Short mmCIF file of all heavy atoms in Angstrom, two decimals:
data_model
loop_
_atom_site.label_atom_id
_atom_site.label_comp_id
_atom_site.label_asym_id
_atom_site.label_seq_id
_atom_site.Cartn_x
_atom_site.Cartn_y
_atom_site.Cartn_z
N PRO A 34 -52.06 -1.86 -68.54
CA PRO A 34 -53.27 -1.00 -68.59
C PRO A 34 -54.57 -1.92 -68.28
O PRO A 34 -54.58 -3.21 -68.48
CB PRO A 34 -53.30 -0.74 -70.15
CG PRO A 34 -51.76 -0.89 -70.59
CD PRO A 34 -51.32 -1.94 -69.56
N LEU A 60 -57.40 9.44 -62.86
CA LEU A 60 -56.25 9.29 -61.91
C LEU A 60 -55.13 8.51 -62.34
O LEU A 60 -54.16 8.54 -61.70
CB LEU A 60 -56.92 8.79 -60.55
CG LEU A 60 -57.93 9.65 -59.82
CD1 LEU A 60 -58.32 8.77 -58.59
CD2 LEU A 60 -57.42 10.92 -59.45
N GLY A 93 -73.92 -2.28 -59.82
CA GLY A 93 -74.30 -1.24 -58.73
C GLY A 93 -73.06 -0.31 -58.52
O GLY A 93 -72.06 -0.26 -59.27
N GLU A 120 -49.31 -21.30 -52.34
CA GLU A 120 -50.14 -22.50 -52.42
C GLU A 120 -51.55 -22.08 -52.83
O GLU A 120 -52.15 -22.83 -53.63
CB GLU A 120 -50.23 -23.14 -50.99
CG GLU A 120 -48.95 -23.82 -50.55
CD GLU A 120 -47.84 -22.73 -50.12
OE1 GLU A 120 -48.22 -21.58 -49.93
OE2 GLU A 120 -46.66 -23.20 -49.86
N GLU A 175 -84.69 -8.54 -58.70
CA GLU A 175 -83.80 -9.85 -58.87
C GLU A 175 -83.69 -10.54 -57.52
O GLU A 175 -83.78 -11.89 -57.51
CB GLU A 175 -82.47 -9.42 -59.47
CG GLU A 175 -81.62 -10.44 -59.89
CD GLU A 175 -80.37 -10.10 -60.59
OE1 GLU A 175 -80.45 -8.98 -61.27
OE2 GLU A 175 -79.35 -10.84 -60.55
N ALA A 218 -53.54 -34.25 -44.88
CA ALA A 218 -52.30 -34.90 -44.82
C ALA A 218 -51.17 -33.92 -44.42
O ALA A 218 -50.20 -34.19 -43.62
CB ALA A 218 -51.99 -35.49 -46.13
N GLY A 233 -59.27 -18.05 -33.37
CA GLY A 233 -58.46 -16.86 -33.88
C GLY A 233 -59.13 -15.53 -33.53
O GLY A 233 -58.79 -14.61 -34.26
N ARG A 257 -62.24 -19.27 -38.70
CA ARG A 257 -62.08 -18.00 -39.35
C ARG A 257 -61.33 -17.12 -38.38
O ARG A 257 -61.75 -16.81 -37.33
CB ARG A 257 -63.34 -17.42 -39.86
CG ARG A 257 -64.40 -17.21 -38.87
CD ARG A 257 -65.61 -16.47 -39.35
NE ARG A 257 -66.48 -16.04 -38.24
CZ ARG A 257 -67.42 -15.03 -38.34
NH1 ARG A 257 -67.48 -14.37 -39.53
NH2 ARG A 257 -68.16 -14.79 -37.32
N LEU A 306 -60.88 -32.72 -28.46
CA LEU A 306 -59.69 -32.45 -27.73
C LEU A 306 -59.37 -33.74 -26.85
O LEU A 306 -60.14 -34.27 -26.13
CB LEU A 306 -59.80 -31.31 -26.65
CG LEU A 306 -58.68 -31.09 -25.65
CD1 LEU A 306 -57.37 -30.75 -26.37
CD2 LEU A 306 -58.98 -30.02 -24.66
N GLU A 347 -87.34 -21.24 -36.54
CA GLU A 347 -86.15 -20.29 -36.63
C GLU A 347 -85.07 -20.98 -37.49
O GLU A 347 -84.44 -20.27 -38.39
CB GLU A 347 -85.56 -20.30 -35.20
CG GLU A 347 -84.20 -19.39 -35.17
CD GLU A 347 -83.75 -19.20 -33.72
OE1 GLU A 347 -84.18 -19.92 -32.82
OE2 GLU A 347 -82.93 -18.39 -33.51
N TYR A 350 -86.17 -21.26 -41.32
CA TYR A 350 -86.11 -20.05 -42.14
C TYR A 350 -84.86 -19.24 -41.88
O TYR A 350 -85.03 -17.98 -42.36
CB TYR A 350 -87.49 -19.31 -41.91
CG TYR A 350 -88.64 -20.04 -42.34
CD1 TYR A 350 -89.55 -20.68 -41.44
CD2 TYR A 350 -88.95 -20.06 -43.69
CE1 TYR A 350 -90.70 -21.28 -41.92
CE2 TYR A 350 -90.07 -20.65 -44.16
CZ TYR A 350 -90.89 -21.34 -43.20
OH TYR A 350 -92.00 -22.00 -43.73
N LYS A 353 -83.80 -17.13 -44.70
CA LYS A 353 -84.94 -17.01 -45.55
C LYS A 353 -85.93 -16.06 -44.79
O LYS A 353 -87.16 -16.24 -44.92
CB LYS A 353 -85.67 -18.48 -45.84
CG LYS A 353 -84.70 -19.40 -46.45
CD LYS A 353 -85.43 -20.69 -46.53
CE LYS A 353 -84.52 -21.78 -47.22
NZ LYS A 353 -85.09 -23.12 -47.32
N LEU A 365 -81.86 -5.55 -47.43
CA LEU A 365 -82.74 -6.61 -48.08
C LEU A 365 -84.21 -6.47 -47.79
O LEU A 365 -85.07 -6.92 -48.40
CB LEU A 365 -82.23 -7.91 -47.98
CG LEU A 365 -80.72 -8.26 -48.56
CD1 LEU A 365 -80.39 -9.59 -48.12
CD2 LEU A 365 -80.68 -7.90 -49.87
N GLY A 400 -88.71 -9.78 -20.92
CA GLY A 400 -88.80 -9.10 -19.63
C GLY A 400 -89.87 -8.08 -19.43
O GLY A 400 -90.54 -7.86 -20.43
N SER A 415 -89.19 7.34 -29.79
CA SER A 415 -89.38 8.39 -30.61
C SER A 415 -89.86 8.17 -32.02
O SER A 415 -90.30 9.14 -32.84
CB SER A 415 -88.33 9.50 -30.55
OG SER A 415 -87.19 9.06 -31.25
N LEU A 416 -89.46 6.92 -32.54
CA LEU A 416 -89.70 6.57 -33.84
C LEU A 416 -91.06 6.19 -34.26
O LEU A 416 -91.66 5.22 -33.53
CB LEU A 416 -88.66 5.32 -34.25
CG LEU A 416 -87.16 5.68 -34.09
CD1 LEU A 416 -86.37 4.52 -34.29
CD2 LEU A 416 -86.75 6.92 -34.88
N ILE A 430 -91.72 -18.95 -35.35
CA ILE A 430 -91.61 -18.08 -36.55
C ILE A 430 -92.19 -18.88 -37.65
O ILE A 430 -91.92 -20.12 -37.86
CB ILE A 430 -90.16 -17.86 -36.83
CG1 ILE A 430 -89.46 -16.98 -35.69
CG2 ILE A 430 -89.94 -17.11 -38.20
CD1 ILE A 430 -88.06 -16.85 -35.73
N ARG A 435 -91.18 -21.33 -48.07
CA ARG A 435 -90.04 -20.76 -48.78
C ARG A 435 -89.49 -19.53 -48.11
O ARG A 435 -88.20 -19.36 -48.07
CB ARG A 435 -90.47 -20.24 -50.19
CG ARG A 435 -90.96 -21.25 -51.14
CD ARG A 435 -91.43 -20.77 -52.39
NE ARG A 435 -92.46 -19.83 -52.26
CZ ARG A 435 -92.51 -18.44 -52.56
NH1 ARG A 435 -91.34 -18.00 -52.98
NH2 ARG A 435 -93.57 -17.79 -52.52
N SER A 441 -95.24 -15.59 -33.98
CA SER A 441 -96.23 -15.70 -32.83
C SER A 441 -95.56 -15.46 -31.62
O SER A 441 -94.43 -15.85 -31.36
CB SER A 441 -96.79 -17.10 -32.92
OG SER A 441 -97.31 -17.46 -34.23
N VAL A 453 -98.07 -11.83 -35.56
CA VAL A 453 -97.54 -10.60 -36.22
C VAL A 453 -97.20 -10.84 -37.63
O VAL A 453 -96.30 -11.61 -37.91
CB VAL A 453 -96.34 -9.91 -35.46
CG1 VAL A 453 -95.95 -8.63 -36.19
CG2 VAL A 453 -96.68 -9.77 -34.04
N GLY A 515 -56.85 -9.26 -23.13
CA GLY A 515 -56.12 -9.34 -21.89
C GLY A 515 -56.21 -10.83 -21.38
O GLY A 515 -55.27 -11.26 -20.81
N ALA A 536 -41.68 -38.54 -25.24
CA ALA A 536 -42.51 -38.56 -26.66
C ALA A 536 -43.04 -37.12 -27.00
O ALA A 536 -43.43 -36.83 -28.06
CB ALA A 536 -43.67 -39.51 -26.68
#
Side-chain angles (χ1 to χ4, degrees):
L60 298 176
E120 291 78 11
E175 191 171 331
R257 55 174 189 161
L306 170 66
E347 181 179 15
Y350 291 106
K353 299 176 182 178
L365 298 178
S415 73
L416 300 175
I430 296 171
R435 297 182 297 114
S441 300
V453 181

